[in-house]
Amino acid sequence: AHTYSDPGIAAVLVRTGNLLSQAVSRRLLETQLWKISVIKPGGLAIGGSGYVHTLQVRMLHARVRATLMQQGWRGENGDQATPIDQLQMLRTWLDFTVVPLEALHRIGLEFSERQRHELYAAWRLIGHLLGIAPTILSSVTDHVKAQELLNIVDSHLPKPDQHSRVLTQAMLQAIGNRLAPVLGLPTDISVLLMSSYCRLFHGDDLADRLGVEANWTAALLPTITDANRFRIKQIAENSDHRAAIVHTSLN
């Protein structure tokens, strides 16, 4: 949703027909499969599945960019512009780092400083493979710097437009449909829950601009968040207990 709130990115997706057809669920699934391929062990090794997949994404961006420029692509103000430019690529990269880490924090799933450091190190490599300028990526040394950079980037963008709203609604519907059987919920309730998560993750102001309406499922989120925190606490306690047993055995 944060990605779609950029009218420039939304316009590219609408212009190319992405995420506006029955293929919306498949395209979102492809993005998830790409994310899995780059974060699994060995995925970013030269020739690894994530390495190859990321270069394919870069080539796809280049193809779309070239096609739109041949068609006389214009920016939001009508001036000649470059589609999927460095700023938009950087913002999307931050959508895979800052935004999900903050979203997970809001539902009780925390990361240690070491884990965050490792995540950003991996994503700097992914950003390099995608073609984002090294000078930009090198400035993102930690989560705080990444947050500051995202705030700066967002402050220079126009407000979400109709394209942003259409894409967001299509995404929420697709994710709700896909997760309904996993969650054991009716599809319409699952879609409502996705809308509530969207509002929690991105804030009421942006959600309102994207046309994501508030609904009763928001009342469930505090319980889910508490359950996540309890589960993480149990995992940590069990891990400490196992470590203590090993230490005692070694002694």
Side-chain angles (χ1 to χ4, degrees), residues 65-186:
R65 186 182 297 115
T67 300
L68 292 177
M69 291 182 72
Q70 288 174 356
Q71 296 173 355
W73 176 259
R74 297 286 174 179
E76 291 298 311
N77 56 6
D79 296 335
Q80 187 172 4
T82 302
I84 321 178
D85 60 16
Q86 282 287 310
L87 184 62
Q88 290 172 340
M89 289 178 64
L90 172 63
R91 188 172 186 272
T92 302
W93 182 84
L94 292 167
D95 283 336
F96 286 101
T97 50
V98 175
V99 175
L101 284 174
E102 287 301 300
L104 290 170
H105 167 71
R106 288 184 173 91
I107 57 172
L109 301 175
E110 304 289 352
F111 287 81
S112 67
E113 286 300 317
R114 179 185 61 80
Q115 289 171 327
R116 286 182 175 182
H117 176 77
E118 292 175 349
L119 280 168
Y120 276 103
W123 278 97
R124 277 195 294 270
L125 175 55
I126 296 168
H128 172 69
L129 294 176
L130 287 172
I132 300 174
T135 52
I136 298 176
L137 293 173
S138 62
S139 66
V140 186
T141 54
D142 55 36
H143 188 60
V144 174
K145 291 289 186 182
Q147 286 177 305
E148 293 174 351
L149 183 58
L150 182 58
N151 290 335
I152 293 172
V153 172
D154 277 348
S155 68
H156 288 81
L157 290 175
K159 301 300 182 184
D161 62 4
Q162 182 58 27
H163 291 154
S164 301
R165 289 185 282 275
V166 169
L167 288 169
T168 299
Q169 292 303 319
M171 175 199 67
L172 293 174
Q173 187 69 46
I175 295 177
N177 289 343
R178 181 169 291 277
L179 291 183
V182 179
L183 298 172
L185 294 173

